[in-house]
Amino acid sequence: MENSKYITEIYQKYLDNKCDKMELQELLGYFDVDELDAGLVDMVKNELLIADEIYESLPQTKLVLNRLDKSIHDNILRSEPKPVLVKWSSVFHYWSAAALFLILSCGIYFYTYHSSSRSERENSNYKNDVPAGSSKAYLTLANGKRIELNGALKGEIARESNVSISKTQNGHLRYEISDAASKGGRPTYNTISTPKGGKYEIMLSDGTLVYLNSGSSIRFPSSFVGVSERRVEFQGEGYFEVSHREKQPFYVQSGQQLLKVLGTRFNLNAYADEKSIKTTLLEGSVELAYSSGEKAVLKPGQQSRIEREKLIVKYVDAESVLDWKRGEINLRDDDFQATMRKIARWYDVDIVFAEDAPIDLDLRGLVSREKNISSVLKVIELTGKVHFKVEGRRVTVMK
């Protein structure tokens, strides 16, 4: 929406009951009631994770407000000093207010194209659709044997150095040390990797849980018995719940970053094609050390990254970083190109930018990454500043 900053300022004046009649008319003039009824609600229902079961039972006005993400809705309501009463003409009825509340407060873009022209454009640009990724990974044992985990049967799939490797009922991988585990000898190392379009969950022999996002890998000893520290190597993106062992710290080596934890929850984004390694702490405490000599200790809610050889630590919405783990794609937290790389990994597609394609866009909202790729791309297209062409597994970004 053009002049979004100006419109947002007027909307804030409206919430503060300081909006005069002319400003109110200008504010509501951005919305056409018929188009909102036909387009915006349909978009919210079909593309932004709206539940179908209550769609028939609520009036339109109440429907829109109740479909807001509860945490965002509550935050907005807490910021309002009191309900605002304004006498409107019949044109500016409560439905317009609800739609305005939804769009300006939650960052959902205005439905800019009429359904007929939009349908024609989609049919020409979307030659095919690409399904979402799924749970799949590969296990490489110390002896070089490679096991496709999504195809393996449930139960024990391998055993080495008195460690049993099994696939659980829900399809996850578990390492268990047998009673006869030896405290001597050199540890054997395994590697679990997810391809593009894959994800996987594993439990290491010490009880540590690791969730792997697409295009990720972790190398680790099959047993941590008899060693003074637990050390793994990681690349890609993963969520860790490290079991607490005061006398046996847990280390994660990712490129030039070494992460030390005693027992904590954190998300690590260490893709080789990203600008920097991002570590986001949700609980506990971690120590970071870089080959450049930079060091830091993170507190819950903080994220670290290296920019231009300088360590940056700041507070972020830590839970929003776990969008991928919850089965969502957060369009807001990354720059546009990083968002497209995220989509490329999960849908296993090649992203190509046309010469006139925008380099950066201010995106908002959450979309389900369980849907086909077209659902995600169509939400981004609602900005009116970018379009996509899908041919096979090639996605072209265009103006």
Side-chain angles (χ1 to χ4, degrees):
M1 181 188 298
E2 295 182 1
N3 303 320
S4 59
K5 182 178 179 181
Y6 173 65
I7 296 302
T8 303
E9 290 174 353
I10 297 180
Y11 180 59
Q12 185 59 53
K13 291 180 68 175
Y14 161 73
L15 293 179
D16 296 336
N17 203 16
K18 298 178 180 179
C19 192
D20 61 35
K21 183 177 180 180
M22 182 174 296
E23 289 174 329
L24 181 61
Q25 290 177 344
E26 185 175 7
L27 183 63
L28 297 177
Y30 277 79
F31 302 91
D32 176 86
V33 175
D34 292 335
E35 185 174 14
L36 285 171
D37 184 40
L40 180 61
V41 175
D42 182 65
M43 179 193 76
V44 172
K45 177 185 176 184
N46 294 314
E47 298 179 354
L48 296 177
L49 306 176
I50 300 305
D52 292 334
E53 54 269 20
I54 65 173
Y55 207 79
E56 299 296 332
S57 61
L58 294 174
Q60 285 181 328
T61 310
K62 187 178 179 182
L63 167 69
V64 175
L65 292 175
N66 279 279
R67 296 301 178 80
L68 297 176
D69 177 88
K70 189 176 185 304
S71 63
I72 299 176
H73 190 195
D74 290 346
N75 286 337
I76 295 170
L77 292 179
R78 282 196 295 270
S79 69
E80 294 187 40
K82 60 182 179 178
V84 180
L85 299 177
V86 180
K87 292 183 178 180
W88 296 348
S89 67
S90 58
V91 176
F92 304 133
H93 51 59
Y94 193 64
W95 162 239
S96 294
L100 181 64
F101 188 98
L102 173 66
I103 296 171
L104 295 180
S105 298
C106 298
I108 301 175
Y109 289 100
F110 178 58
Y111 204 76
T112 55
Y113 294 100
H114 295 287
S115 58
S116 59
S117 61
R118 184 168 180 246
S119 177
E120 292 175 1
R121 184 172 64 255
E122 289 172 1
N123 290 336
S124 62
N125 287 349
Y126 292 83
K127 302 296 184 183
N128 61 284
D129 212 344
V130 179
S134 60
S135 181
K136 52 188 173 185
Y138 299 93
L139 167 65
T140 303
L141 301 176
N143 60 10
K145 182 180 179 181
R146 193 166 186 254
I147 302 172
E148 185 178 353
L149 295 176
N150 52 309
L153 298 176
K154 294 176 177 59
E156 186 174 277
I157 59 176
R159 177 179 288 273
E160 59 178 12
S161 300
N162 295 313
V163 175
S164 173
I165 308 171
S166 60
K167 190 175 181 181
T168 64
Q169 188 66 30
N170 57 7
H172 303 152
L173 205 64
R174 178 187 294 270
Y175 277 69
E176 295 179 290
I177 305 173
S178 68
D179 294 336
S182 173
K183 294 186 179 182
R186 298 179 60 183
T188 58
Y189 283 82
N190 291 173
T191 300
I192 294 180
S193 57
T194 54
K196 287 185 175 181
K199 63 177 181 177
Y200 214 76
E201 176 185 337
I202 62 173
M203 177 180 283
L204 304 182
S205 60
D206 67 334
T208 292
L209 282 172
V210 183
Y211 296 77
L212 298 178
N213 201 353
S214 53
S216 304
S217 70
I218 181 171
R219 183 176 181 267
F220 56 93
S222 57
S223 171
F224 295 104
V225 174
V227 296
S228 60
E229 62 184 36
R230 297 168 288 169
R231 185 178 290 262
V232 302
E233 299 173 14
F234 183 84
Q235 62 179 5
E237 183 169 25
Y239 166 77
F240 291 73
E241 292 184 3
V242 179
S243 63
H244 179 71
R245 292 187 179 185
E246 187 174 352
K247 296 182 179 180
Q248 199 179 40
F250 193 97
Y251 291 89
V252 183
Q253 182 75 55
S254 296
Q256 299 181 4
Q257 174 181 287
L258 180 63
L259 181 68
K260 177 184 178 182
V261 300
L262 294 176
T264 187
R265 298 192 302 123
F266 62 93
N267 191 82
L268 178 59
N269 188 316
Y271 285 111
D273 59 351
E274 294 299 335
K275 297 177 181 179
S276 62
I277 298 173
K278 293 181 181 178
T279 304
T280 308
L281 183 65
L282 288 92
E283 182 182 294
S285 179
V286 298
E287 299 177 12
L288 301 169
Y290 294 86
S291 58
S292 61
E294 296 269 15
K295 295 182 179 180
V297 177
L298 297 188
K299 299 177 181 179
Q302 288 186 329
Q303 181 184 89
S304 67
R305 67 180 186 272
I306 291 286
E307 287 187 0
R308 298 174 183 174
E309 300 183 356
K310 183 179 180 181
L311 177 62
I312 305 295
V313 176
K314 66 177 183 179
Y315 281 97
V316 298
D317 180 2
E319 289 294 337
S320 70
V321 178
L322 299 180
D323 58 339
W324 64 272
K325 184 174 175 290
R326 294 191 300 269
E328 300 169 342
I329 297 177
N330 188 342
L331 300 176
R332 180 173 185 172
D333 283 353
D334 290 315
D335 63 69
F336 179 52
Q337 292 192 356
T339 296
M340 294 311 300
R341 288 193 294 270
K342 182 189 301 185
I343 292 172
R345 296 186 197 105
W346 179 238
Y347 289 94
D348 189 14
V349 296
D350 295 321
I351 303 292
V352 178
F353 282 79
E355 291 185 1
D356 64 346
I359 300 300
D360 198 12
L361 287 176
D362 185 20
L363 300 177
R364 292 289 187 275
L366 292 171
V367 291
S368 171
R369 76 173 200 163
E370 302 305 318
K371 295 184 178 181
N372 289 353
I373 194 172
S374 62
S375 296
V376 180
L377 299 181
K378 289 172 186 176
V379 170
I380 299 176
E381 284 185 336
L382 293 173
T383 62
K385 298 179 180 179
V386 66
H387 299 94
F388 302 95
K389 179 180 292 186
V390 180
E391 299 173 299
R393 288 194 172 270
R394 178 188 174 99
V395 176
T396 303
V397 186
M398 310 172 294
K399 184 176 180 180

